[in-house]
Amino acid sequence: MENFMLEQILKKLEHLEAKLNRITLQEKKFLDIKEAAEYSGYSVDTLRKYHSSGKIKATKPGGKNLRFTPEDLSAFLASNESKTIDQ
């Protein structure tokens, strides 16, 4: 019983940590691909595919690495909310 309660507490703490990380990422002007993956819950490869297909906006400063804004990611997530499972 005690083990079960500890597991439940750990799960709740992990959930809260993820929310705090997301809030921190929202405060940044641009997110790199790894941060965008953490923020959105999608994999790095999926975000690259979505960007290539025009489903999600991102910039490539200097033609190199993708940069996403939290606002664009939030808009994308909101428009796809009915297609995914709530996290």
Side-chain angles (χ1 to χ4, degrees), residues 46-47 49-58 72 75-77 79-80 83:
T46 298
L47 288 175
K49 288 176 190 174
Y50 284 167
H51 175 260
S52 294
S53 66
K55 291 181 180 179
I56 189 168
K57 292 194 308 186
D72 287 341
F76 172 76
L77 293 171
S79 70
N80 289 294
K83 300 175 187 172

Side-chain angles (χ1 to χ4, degrees), residues 10-64:
L10 284 174
K11 284 181 183 180
K12 287 182 180 186
L13 285 173
E14 288 170 357
H15 181 71
L16 288 172
E17 182 181 27
K19 281 188 173 190
L20 285 173
N21 286 341
R22 193 172 203 180
I23 290 168
T24 301
L25 292 174
Q26 283 177 330
E27 294 173 355
K28 294 181 81 173
K29 190 170 182 174
F30 291 98
L31 305 176
D32 65 27
I33 190 84
K34 289 180 183 177
E35 292 170 326
E38 181 180 339
Y39 182 88
S40 67
Y42 287 102
S43 71
V44 167
D45 290 337
T46 298
L47 288 175
R48 283 193 179 110
K49 288 176 190 174
Y50 284 167
H51 175 260
S52 294
S53 66
K55 291 181 180 179
I56 189 168
K57 292 194 308 186
T59 60
K60 266 189 162 177
K64 291 193 175 195

